[in-house]
Amino acid sequence: MAEHEEKKQEESFMEKIADKIRGHDSSSDSDNDKPSESSIKAKVFRLFGREKPVHHVLGGGKPADIFLWRNKKISAGALGAATVMWVLFELLEYHLLTLVCHLLILALALLFLWSNATTFINKSPPHIPEVQIPKDPVIEFAQALRFEINRAFAVLRDIASGRDLKKFLSVIAGLWVLSIVGSWCNFLTLFYIVFVLLHTVPVLYEKYEDKVDPFAEKAMHEIKKQYAVFDAKVLTKIPRGPLKEKKKD
């Protein structure tokens, strides 16, 4: 009887071990079947098809920090300075040359009076620093501007060559909308609006991107669907130029 009971205990013990091994294998298989968080994030739709953070899309560095309010003092200062300039030139109808001349008159008068008053009050004259424009930043800015202008010329040349009808229509529509906006306000107001949007839209999008991206995905899907209908009914019926025919051959 004792031997029979020992055999039963051994069999039950072995069955428990086998059950544990099966349970571990099934759990590992289920874990492998579950998609990883990185793969889920990779499949999430992002606005304009971006795969990098908003900070990196804006170019990184100090400009991106200002637009995303990483340093609130600098961002608020830049936005405040732009607002003051817009109020002076647009609302108060100040002219740039007049403003510069008045500021120079005020600064020179104060420094001149202060320099001469120090002889009467026995104080040291004000230290006026020597201001010089550094060479390297100016060259870097000129090279960057030259590169962007050349790239814009290349894009315009590519559009005018008639190779991409979709890009041509997009640029024409964008220029038409810009011309309408330009008829509503002058260049200074338009520049100020763009400046304010750059200081508000990116930071709001970065904060609420998980809510904005699903709506953007639906909108992009609807736009593509409408464009497919327009392409089938209109664009495909337009006669193609010689470049298209050569490309086909």
Side-chain angles (χ1 to χ4, degrees):
M1 293 290 291
E3 291 178 358
H4 185 64
E5 289 179 358
E6 286 179 0
K7 284 182 180 180
K8 280 187 178 180
Q9 289 177 357
E10 287 177 359
E11 288 176 358
S12 62
F13 181 70
M14 294 299 291
E15 287 176 358
K16 287 179 180 178
I17 293 175
D19 291 338
K20 285 183 179 179
I21 293 172
R22 287 171 191 164
H24 179 71
D25 291 340
S26 62
S27 63
S28 61
D29 291 339
S30 62
D31 291 339
N32 291 330
D33 292 338
K34 289 180 181 178
S36 60
E37 291 183 1
S38 59
S39 64
I40 293 173
K41 288 181 180 179
K43 293 179 181 178
V44 174
F45 175 86
R46 294 300 180 190
L47 196 61
F48 303 118
R50 66 178 182 85
E51 297 178 356
K52 298 176 181 178
V54 180
H55 187 272
H56 197 280
V57 172
L58 292 174
K62 291 183 179 179
D65 292 339
I66 294 173
F67 292 143
L68 295 175
W69 292 75
R70 297 286 191 266
N71 191 328
K72 294 183 179 180
K73 291 182 179 179
I74 297 177
S75 300
L79 190 58
T83 304
V84 170
M85 297 294 287
W86 181 76
V87 169
L88 285 173
F89 293 132
E90 186 64 23
L91 297 183
L92 301 181
E93 296 182 353
Y94 234 88
H95 297 286
L96 178 61
L97 184 60
T98 304
L99 178 64
V100 171
C101 291
H102 285 177
L103 290 176
L104 286 174
I105 289 171
L106 181 62
L108 290 174
L110 289 175
L111 290 173
F112 181 82
L113 293 174
W114 189 8
S115 299
N116 286 280
T118 53
T119 57
F120 298 102
I121 58 178
N122 296 323
K123 286 189 176 182
S124 59
H127 174 68
I128 302 174
E130 185 178 354
V131 179
Q132 290 183 349
I133 298 175
K135 180 181 178 181
D136 293 338
V138 174
I139 294 175
E140 290 176 2
F141 176 76
Q143 289 177 346
L145 182 63
R146 172 181 167 274
F147 175 77
E148 294 297 332
I149 292 174
N150 288 336
R151 189 170 68 171
F153 284 154
V155 171
L156 292 175
R157 182 179 179 277
D158 185 61
I159 292 169
S161 62
R163 296 173 185 171
D164 193 343
L165 183 60
K166 183 179 178 181
K167 187 185 291 185
F168 169 76
L169 293 175
S170 301
V171 172
I172 293 299
L175 291 173
W176 180 68
V177 171
L178 190 62
S179 67
I180 293 175
V181 174
S183 65
W184 294 341
C185 56
N186 57 20
F187 178 76
L188 180 62
T189 302
L190 182 62
F191 178 80
Y192 177 69
I193 292 172
V194 172
F195 192 81
V196 172
L197 290 176
L198 284 173
H199 279 76
T200 52
V201 173
V203 66
L204 291 174
Y205 172 70
E206 187 184 41
K207 188 176 182 181
Y208 301 105
E209 61 179 339
D210 293 333
K211 297 179 180 179
V212 173
D213 287 338
F215 289 104
E217 184 179 10
K218 294 178 182 177
M220 291 298 293
H221 179 70
E222 187 64 26
I223 290 171
K224 288 180 180 179
K225 188 168 70 174
Q226 295 299 327
Y227 176 78
V229 174
F230 179 71
D231 184 41
K233 292 183 177 179
V234 180
L235 299 183
T236 54
K237 297 179 181 179
I238 298 175
R240 298 189 177 186
L243 287 174
K244 287 284 184 181
E245 293 174 0
K246 287 180 182 178
K247 193 174 180 182
K248 263 192 163 182
D249 296 337

